C-alpha cells in the first residue's frame, strides 16, 4: 500500500490488518512510521517510482494508493506509473486509488472543484486527483482499477461504524442533504471493495 503513513492510509492499513490481511506499508520514510501494527511490513516505497511498483506488485492482490502532499502532478504521475507497470504484468494486482471528493458532481451539474466558491488552497490537489481519475478512465486498458472519492466537504477522522452507503459520481447524502464520512469508515469501504469487488474499472463514493 502506497501512502500508508498518512491519515487515510494508516487507517486502511489497520483495517486490512485487523481483518487478517497481509499488509505491506510503502512509505517514503519508514523510520518515521512507528504507529502501525507490529505485524505490518513497512518498506521504503514511492508510487511514482517504477522500481517501487515493480518490487511490490508481484506479491500483491491489490495495490492501494492513498498518497497526499506534493504538487499537482503527484497523483497523475502515480496513476501513470502504476498503470504503466501493471499493464505489462501477466497477473497484475488490481488498483484501489483513494482519490478526491472534489471530482464528484455538484448540484449545479459540474464538478465541485469547478464551483466558483471552491477553496483556492485545495484547487491544485483537486486538479491533480481529477487528472488521475481521467488517466484511469482513458488509459488503463488491461488494468483493473477502482477510484474511491470521499465526500467533497465533510470528511474527517472520527468513529468506525462499519456502515456506509455507496454512489458513483454524485455524493451520497443523508436526510439533511449532507455528505459525511469518517476516515475510519472510508477504510472499511476500501477493504470491503478489495474483499468483494463491486466497482471494477469505475469510480465510486461513500457516505452515511
Amino acid at each position: 500500500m502506497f501512502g500508508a503513513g498518512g491519515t487515510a492510509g494508516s487507517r486502511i492499513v489497520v483495517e486490512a490488518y485487523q481483518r487478517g490481511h497481509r499488509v505491506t506499508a510503502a512509505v517514503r520514510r519508514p523510520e518515521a512510521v512507528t504507529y502501525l501494527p507490529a505485524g505490518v511490513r513497512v518498506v521504503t516505497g514511492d508510487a511514482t517510482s517504477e522500481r517501487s511498483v515493480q518490487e511490490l506488485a508481484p506479491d500483491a492482490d491489490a495495490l492501494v494508493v492513498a498518497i497526499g502532499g506534493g504538487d499537482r502532478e503527484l497523483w497523475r504521475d502515480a496513476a501513470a506509473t502504476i498503470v504503466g507497470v501493471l499493464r505489462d504484468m501477466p497477473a497484475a494486482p488490481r488498483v484501489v486509488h483513494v482519490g478526491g471528493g472534489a471530482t464528484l458532481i455538484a448540484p449545479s451539474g459540474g464538478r465541485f472543484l469547478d464551483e466558483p466558491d471552491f477553496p483556492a488552497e485545495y484547487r491544485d490537489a483537486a486538479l491533480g486527483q481529477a487528472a488521475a481519475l481521467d488517466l484511469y478512465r482513458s488509459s488503463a486498458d488491461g488494468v483493473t482499477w477502482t477510484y474511491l472519492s470521499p465526500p467533497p466537504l465533510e470528511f474527517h477522522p472520527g468513529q468506525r461504524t462499519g456502515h456506509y452507503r455507496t454512489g458513483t459520481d454524485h455524493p451520497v447524502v443523508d436526510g439533511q442533504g449532507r455528505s459525511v464520512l469518517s476516515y475510519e469508515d472510508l477504510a472499511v469501504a476500501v477493504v470491503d471493495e478489495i474483499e468483494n469487488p463491486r466497482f471494477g474499472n469505475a469510480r465510486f463514493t461513500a457516505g452515511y
Side-chain angles (χ1 to χ4, degrees), residues 29-175:
R29 296 177 55 236
E31 69 278 5
V33 180
T34 59
Y35 43 83
L36 297 178
V40 172
R41 176 181 173 231
V42 181
V43 301
T44 302
D46 179 352
T48 66
S49 162
E50 288 187 3
R51 180 177 179 180
S52 285
V53 178
Q54 289 166 347
E55 289 176 348
L56 292 174
D59 296 326
D61 295 319
L63 281 182
V64 178
V65 183
I67 57 177
D71 59 26
R72 181 189 300 185
E73 304 304 319
L74 173 67
W75 294 275
R76 186 192 180 282
D77 288 348
T81 300
I82 291 168
V83 167
V85 172
L86 298 191
R87 187 185 282 134
D88 295 329
M89 290 182 60
R94 63 183 305 216
V95 181
V96 179
H97 183 115
V98 179
T103 60
L104 292 167
I105 305 301
S108 65
R111 301 176 301 182
F112 278 90
L113 68 90
D114 297 321
E115 295 289 283
D117 59 348
F118 187 78
E121 62 268 30
Y122 300 131
R123 185 163 180 78
D124 273 358
L127 288 170
Q129 287 283 21
L133 177 57
D134 288 343
L135 186 141
Y136 286 120
R137 284 173 164 167
S138 64
S139 308
D141 293 343
V143 176
T144 301
W145 58 272
T146 298
Y147 184 106
L148 171 55
S149 289
L153 297 175
E154 298 190 65
F155 176 50
H156 309 286
Q159 298 297 315
R160 182 195 186 281
T161 70
H163 301 288
Y164 59 89
R165 294 178 294 131
T166 60
T168 52
D169 290 328
H170 295 82
V172 175
V173 298
D174 61 18

Side-chain angles (χ1 to χ4, degrees), residues 11 156-163 181-188 208:
R11 286 162 170 80
H156 309 286
Q159 298 297 315
R160 182 195 186 281
T161 70
H163 301 288
L181 190 70
S182 69
Y183 275 91
E184 288 74 10
D185 282 329
L186 177 90
V188 174
Y208 297 127

Side-chain angles (χ1 to χ4, degrees), residues 1-5 8-10 12-13 23-27 56 62-66 98:
M1 173 174 168
F2 291 104
S10 60
I12 296 167
V13 168
V23 182
T24 298
V27 297
L56 292 174
L63 281 182
V64 178
V65 183
V98 179

